[in-house]
Amino acid sequence: MTEEQIREKVQSALSPKRFRHVEGVVQTADRLARLHGTDPDHARLAAWLHDYCREWPKEKLLQTAKQHSVNEMFFEVTELLHGHIAAAIAPEEFGIADEDVLNAVRFHTSGRPNMSLLEKVVFLADAIEPGRDYPAIAEIRKLAEEDLHMALALSFDNTIEYLIRRQQPIFPLTVVARNEIWRILKDGRVV
Ligand SMILES: [Fe+2]
Ligand SMILES: [Fe+2]
């Protein structure tokens, strides 16, 4: 499939508002990938796919997740399933099989420890695309250009604070990922 065909297929699956979000993520992921030295083509592909299943009803998400043997730990927070399912169906529906691209799609909502550079870029692009607006965004946007790990650390903290304020569940891997990024920053290590 060409990128244009992928774009059209994604557009047909989403509301205009969500599709504008996806276009923003594609544009931001492309820029961040170039800035931080990972493949912009892979970043754009993951960005096009990341919310492909975002508007599926809960029942369809749960059923498809079971069919594709998505790990049961992701069922506890339904908001996480759309990325895992998009990654599971991408080889068949889009002809995309690159594991790094698929992992960037899988973990774009929760993050996880040991994220690849591509996973970090897509995670952040989703958080800071031009259509997003929340109090910490200006700082995270600025840092995303200069210090990817610091931007990621603040983005994780921001997400976790947001979930706590709304009494929403926090996925354990997100906490592990957040602790890992802060450890990297404080130890001065880069993984
Ligand atoms: Fe998403
Ligand atoms: Fe998204």
Side-chain angles (χ1 to χ4, degrees), residues 50-51 54 82 108-109 126:
H50 84 284
D51 275 345
R54 185 67 179 81
H82 70 280
H108 80 266
T109 317
D126 189 31

